[in-house]
Amino acid sequence: MKELVKLLLLSLGVILLSCENEPLGEMNLNRNTIDEELVDLIKGISQIEDGTGIDCIRFSYAFVVFTFDANMEFIEATAIRGDQEFSNFLGALEDDYSISINYPISGTLNNGDLVEINTNEELKQAIDACRAEELRRRCNGTLIDCVWKVTELEGYPNDYEEAYYKMRYDGTIQFHLMNEVYFGTWTTLSIGPDVFLNIDLNDNPDIEAFWNLNWKVELRSNAQIEIISDSTRVLMERDCTIPCRLEGYQVCEWEDDPGFANFILKNYTPCIPIPYEHDMVSAVLYSFYETEEDAATGINPISYLEYINSSNPQTVYVRLTYKESGELLDFTEIVIEAINCT
């Protein structure tokens, strides 16, 4: 039997740090009619006084939802700050529009019953039913602390090991793969005793097919989570080894050659800001250069996988372009420095 679920936006930190959160979320649009069973369930909510009959899905607010038209062209990004705003937003959508939350949202409630939400209509009904619930206070989740690296998991290889996720407080997400960056939205939600991470990335069909799911989260430690969807499992580790400092990208110098080091420039891309002019959806390509002239013309790029500095400290010039069109988005510079770590 379908059971209605209350939406709480649990910053994953709620579980990681044992503190309570408020609602949040993301998904793809469906405008199907709600079945009679669900309608009867909604009508019965007001008759349940002890709170034991129905658990709710709760999203954590605030977060961002992307809207797409019938041709899957990006329309706008909308900030959602609470149940009322989310309900109004869903109710005002055009029938053939889509949004950046992935269905089905399913799980097991505390009483053991299964629940599944497949459409925005069902989701709106759930939000409306739960709006009277007092929102839980948010706590700072560890998902927005540092970056999260996709790590090898024995028996479950994938094509994205060593890639980085940068999850932002506003519900947007950056996926850093080599020197490319993909953009989308993220949210965490709870269904019964389970926590889920809902990811929606854009601008690459292969990446979307693998990542755009409602992942069940298994906590290994405060710095390591495993996410699961059907037979797919991915291990992610929090990486705070490359802090974004004003001093730039600092790496331990070689003991036998002080003042020099190997710089993996792709690892530093989460620290290089995306300009406000970015359209929030299209993938971006980073390239690195030794001279300002080369960066301006886009010639003679240096390796983003391994680069040995020629002076210390040294200025490296960065060119950001839209991956598909090659259009210049930004031109900036960073300082790299080999430092004594003994």
Side-chain angles (χ1 to χ4, degrees):
M1 164 180 177
K2 288 186 181 175
E3 226 167 314
L4 188 53
V5 193
K6 231 192 290 185
L7 303 159
L8 146 69
L9 195 198
L10 246 204
S11 175
L12 183 56
V14 169
I15 297 299
L16 301 179
L17 300 180
S18 297
C19 52
E20 295 183 350
N21 251 2
E22 4 176 298
L24 143 55
E26 70 181 300
M27 68 193 123
N28 263 346
L29 175 68
N30 287 307
R31 304 289 284 178
N32 298 335
T33 304
I34 304 171
D35 58 38
E36 293 183 5
E37 183 181 26
L38 183 60
V39 172
D40 292 341
L41 184 61
I42 294 168
K43 290 179 179 178
I45 289 177
S46 60
Q47 303 172 8
I48 300 174
E49 298 179 353
D50 61 2
T52 59
I54 295 179
D55 286 9
C56 285
I57 300 173
R58 296 188 173 190
F59 288 88
S60 304
Y61 297 104
F63 64 97
V64 171
V65 171
F66 292 161
T67 303
F68 302 85
D69 66 15
N71 298 317
M72 293 308 296
E73 293 291 328
F74 175 72
I75 301 296
E76 63 179 351
T78 304
I80 306 295
R81 300 179 181 86
D83 283 345
Q84 182 67 62
E85 285 189 13
F86 203 2
S87 176
N88 293 344
F89 171 82
L90 291 171
L93 280 173
E94 299 289 341
D95 288 349
D96 56 354
Y97 277 20
S98 299
I99 61 175
S100 59
I101 286 184
N102 291 292
Y103 292 120
I105 296 174
S106 59
T108 304
L109 301 178
N110 289 327
N111 62 6
D113 289 339
L114 300 178
V115 63
E116 182 171 297
I117 290 181
N118 290 286
T119 70
N120 287 328
E121 291 281 357
E122 293 177 5
L123 184 59
K124 184 180 185 305
Q125 293 290 343
I127 294 172
D128 291 344
C130 301
R131 195 183 306 148
E133 289 286 327
E134 191 176 321
L135 296 181
R136 303 184 183 184
R137 58 185 182 83
R138 297 191 64 167
C139 69
N140 294 326
T142 60
L143 279 180
I144 57 174
D145 183 19
C146 304
V147 296
W148 288 79
K149 181 169 67 174
V150 181
T151 306
E152 180 182 358
L153 180 61
E154 185 176 356
Y156 297 92
N158 64 71
D159 296 330
Y160 303 102
E161 293 172 8
E162 304 300 318
Y164 286 90
Y165 270 107
K166 182 178 182 180
M167 303 184 198
R168 299 174 58 86
Y169 183 80
D170 62 3
T172 58
I173 192 171
Q174 297 176 11
F175 181 58
H176 292 252
L177 179 64
M178 293 298 183
N179 64 328
E180 302 170 359
V181 187
Y182 297 87
F183 301 87
T185 60
W186 72 279
T187 184
T188 55
L189 57 109
S190 62
I191 303 177
D194 298 322
V195 175
F196 295 83
L197 173 63
N198 199 293
I199 296 174
D200 191 273
L201 297 172
N202 300 289
D203 216 23
N204 185 302
D206 292 335
I207 289 176
E208 293 174 37
F210 185 86
W211 289 107
N212 289 5
L213 299 168
N214 194 52
W215 297 87
K216 182 180 177 182
V217 175
E218 286 190 359
L219 175 65
R220 289 192 170 194
S221 70
N222 285 348
Q224 194 176 68
I225 61 172
E226 188 173 330
I227 58 176
I228 303 163
S229 178
D230 295 328
S231 60
T232 303
R233 290 175 175 259
V234 177
L235 183 63
M236 298 173 63
E237 294 182 342
R238 187 174 61 177
D239 188 348
C240 300
T241 60
I242 307 178
C244 301
R245 299 191 180 98
L246 293 177
E247 296 84 356
Y249 184 16
Q250 296 179 335
V251 173
C252 294
E253 64 184 1
W254 292 328
E255 292 183 8
D256 57 351
D257 197 1
F260 295 92
N262 181 34
F263 293 84
I264 306 174
L265 296 171
K266 74 175 183 67
N267 290 350
Y268 196 69
T269 57
C271 296
I272 304 174
I274 301 295
Y276 291 114
E277 294 77 12
H278 181 248
D279 64 14
M280 299 182 68
V281 174
S282 301
V284 168
L285 185 69
Y286 286 86
S287 52
F288 302 89
Y289 305 84
E290 290 184 324
T291 69
E292 187 172 1
E293 293 76 16
D294 284 351
T297 56
I299 63 172
N300 302 319
I302 60 178
S303 173
Y304 54 82
L305 295 176
E306 51 179 4
Y307 175 72
I308 300 172
N309 56 310
S310 57
S311 60
N312 197 44
Q314 177 184 343
T315 299
V316 169
Y317 300 90
V318 186
R319 182 183 176 94
L320 281 73
T321 57
Y322 283 107
K323 183 177 183 292
E324 183 172 347
S325 68
E327 176 188 352
L328 180 64
L329 177 62
D330 196 21
F331 176 73
T332 186
E333 60 186 51
I334 60 174
V335 175
I336 61 174
E337 183 178 11
I339 61 173
N340 188 323
C341 296
T342 59

